[in-house]
Amino acid sequence: MYEFIQKLHSGWAYLALLLLVVAVLNALYGLISKKEFNATDRKIALFALIGTQTQLLIGLVIYFVSPLGFASLGNMSDKAIRLTSMEHPLINIIAIVLITVGWSKHKNLLNSESKFKTFTIFYTLGLILILSRIPWKLWL
């Protein structure tokens, strides 16, 4: 079961990152070009939100069944174990909270520029945090 969840977490990460990058680029393009925010823009942002939150749920499951997750939390002297047991989960939770806040904030905004600006800021911060804590040696 562990191997299946691990492969699912790694495979879904590609999709989640792709959706998030597309959402960031779309928001940046909308902000720069001053276009009207429409249903397609909303769906792009929503798919990125769903993709990253699904990745979080899969990650939480793997965190508690993995020997590199919660079980090794006290071993902070080993850099690789610290990454998988504390830094990766904590930073990615913060990133997905930022993405979720960006989604929630856009619903209260009235003009397109504000919506694109909100998505650009929050989704980009989330993307940067996620990219900073991917265990590249385990992933590639």
Side-chain angles (χ1 to χ4, degrees), residues 13 15 41 67 84 93 105 113 118 140:
L15 178 62
D41 299 316
T84 57
I93 288 170
K105 285 181 69 80
E113 182 181 3
T118 298
L140 299 175

Side-chain angles (χ1 to χ4, degrees), residues 8-105:
L8 179 63
H9 186 62
S10 294
W12 192 266
Y14 289 106
L15 178 62
L17 280 174
L18 176 65
L19 291 169
L20 189 55
V21 166
V22 168
V24 166
L25 292 176
N26 182 65
L28 193 57
Y29 174 74
L31 184 63
I32 291 171
S33 67
K34 299 189 186 313
K35 73 176 204 146
E36 284 298 314
F37 188 84
N38 59 35
T40 303
D41 299 316
R42 187 185 65 77
K43 288 176 187 173
I44 290 171
L46 178 61
F47 288 146
L49 174 73
I50 292 169
T52 55
Q53 288 184 343
T54 302
Q55 179 69 354
L56 173 64
L57 291 176
I58 298 166
L60 288 174
V61 170
I62 200 168
Y63 181 72
F64 290 105
V65 299
S66 169
L68 298 174
F70 186 72
S72 61
L73 188 58
N75 190 0
M76 294 296 116
S77 60
D78 185 333
K79 188 177 179 180
I81 291 177
R82 184 177 64 238
L83 176 65
T84 57
S85 68
M86 188 182 76
E87 294 173 1
H88 176 75
L90 180 63
I91 297 300
N92 286 329
I93 288 170
I94 293 168
I96 294 168
V97 165
L98 285 170
I99 292 166
T100 305
V101 167
W103 173 260
S104 296
K105 285 181 69 80

